[in-house]
Amino acid sequence: MIKYTTQFLLKMEEMLTESDYTLRYEKGNFKSGYCVLKDQKIMIVNKFFTTEGKINALLDILKNTTLDPTRFSDKSRKLHEELNLPQAQAEQAPEETPEGEPQAQASEGEQQTTAA
C-alpha cells in the first residue's frame, strides 16, 4: 500500500541510497518529470514536484530499473518486495549437459540478456 507522505518518500530515498544509484532533485525540462542516466547510475527528479509527484516519479523509475536487493537493509528489502520491483538476477552458470548431447541454441528471435 502506497502512502503519499513525507515519511514514505524518505523510506524510498533511503532504499535508493543503499543501491548503486544516486538520487538528485534538480530543476529541468523533463517531459516525464524525471531523468535516469543509467551509465552513470544517477536518477534526477524535478525538485518542484509535490511529495506525491516525487513518489510517483520514483515509482516509475524503480519499475523500469533493476536494483540489487542484496545490498539493502532489512527495512529497504521489505519495502522493495512490497512495491514488487524488478530484482537483479545473479548470474547463473549454464547447466551442464551430458557428454555427446548438443546444447540448446537460442533462436534468432530470442535475446539473451545478463544482469549488469
Side-chain angles (χ1 to χ4, degrees), residues 18-48:
E18 294 174 3
S19 72
D20 295 339
Y21 284 83
T22 302
L23 174 64
R24 296 184 348 203
Y25 293 106
E26 296 184 12
K27 64 180 183 176
N29 282 344
F30 313 123
K31 289 183 181 181
S32 60
Y34 62 85
C35 177
V36 179
L37 305 171
K38 292 193 180 204
D39 292 339
Q40 298 174 1
K41 296 196 175 193
I42 297 175
M43 299 174 181
I44 303 170
V45 176
N46 190 334
K47 72 178 185 178
F48 297 112

Side-chain angles (χ1 to χ4, degrees), residues 84-104:
N84 294 321
L85 299 173
Q87 297 182 18
Q89 298 293 326
E91 290 188 31
Q92 299 175 356
E95 294 182 19
E96 295 181 21
T97 58
E99 288 185 35
E101 291 184 26
Q103 293 183 347

Side-chain angles (χ1 to χ4, degrees), residues 3-89:
K3 300 176 183 175
Y4 292 98
T5 62
T6 306
Q7 289 78 18
F8 185 76
L9 179 61
L10 292 173
K11 287 180 185 180
M12 291 182 72
E13 290 172 351
E14 182 180 333
M15 181 178 68
L16 288 171
T17 58
E18 294 174 3
S19 72
D20 295 339
Y21 284 83
T22 302
L23 174 64
R24 296 184 348 203
Y25 293 106
E26 296 184 12
K27 64 180 183 176
N29 282 344
F30 313 123
K31 289 183 181 181
S32 60
Y34 62 85
C35 177
V36 179
L37 305 171
K38 292 193 180 204
D39 292 339
Q40 298 174 1
K41 296 196 175 193
I42 297 175
M43 299 174 181
I44 303 170
V45 176
N46 190 334
K47 72 178 185 178
F48 297 112
F49 274 175
T50 62
T51 301
E52 182 178 346
K54 289 177 183 177
I55 291 171
N56 285 331
L58 289 175
L59 287 172
D60 284 346
I61 292 170
L62 291 173
K63 287 180 182 177
N64 297 317
T65 305
T66 305
L67 302 178
D68 184 11
T70 59
R71 301 179 63 186
F72 293 160
S73 65
D74 290 337
K75 288 181 180 180
S76 295
R77 188 174 295 118
K78 184 178 176 184
L79 177 63
H80 190 265
E81 290 171 2
E82 286 176 11
L83 296 174
N84 294 321
L85 299 173
Q87 297 182 18
Q89 298 293 326

